[in-house]
Amino acid sequence: MKTTLDLNDQLLANAKALAAQQRTSLTRLIEEGLQLRLRVKAVDPARSRKRLPGFRGRGGLVAGVEPRSNKALLEALGDDT
C-alpha cells in the first residue's frame, strides 16, 4: 500500500543513511520500526511491571560499626582483605 508521510528532514536523512548502511530499503526500515513500536504497545504495562522485594524486618547496623567507613564495614563482615 502506498501512503504519504511528512517526516522531519533530518530524521529522513538519518533513516536513509541507516537503510543504505544495512543494505535494505527505506520502506523495510520504516516497516520494522512500526512493527517494533506496535509490539511494545501490545504488551500490557500492568503485567510487565515487576515488584522489587523490600526488607521489612527488624535490625539495622551492628553497634560499634561506623557505617561511613568501608574498612569498618569490611571488618564487621570478616572480609578485611
Side-chain angles (χ1 to χ4, degrees):
M1 170 189 230
K2 289 189 178 240
T3 190
T4 301
L5 299 172
D6 289 324
L7 300 175
N8 174 286
D9 291 339
Q10 188 59 54
L11 177 63
L12 182 58
N14 292 346
K16 284 181 178 181
L18 181 62
Q21 181 184 16
Q22 294 182 353
R23 296 184 178 172
T24 189
S25 67
L26 180 61
T27 299
R28 183 67 192 137
L29 189 72
I30 292 171
E31 286 175 347
E32 289 174 1
L34 285 171
Q35 287 171 351
L36 286 171
R37 183 64 187 221
L38 291 171
R39 205 175 308 141
V40 169
K41 186 166 173 59
V43 174
D44 182 14
R47 294 187 72 204
S48 65
R49 273 205 168 140
K50 305 289 183 204
R51 289 190 53 90
L52 295 175
F55 179 72
R56 296 184 188 160
R58 294 183 187 164
L61 297 175
V62 176
V65 176
E66 173 57 48
R68 294 172 290 183
S69 166
N70 287 340
K71 183 178 178 184
L73 292 171
L74 289 172
E75 285 175 357
L77 288 172
D79 186 18
D80 51 351
T81 57

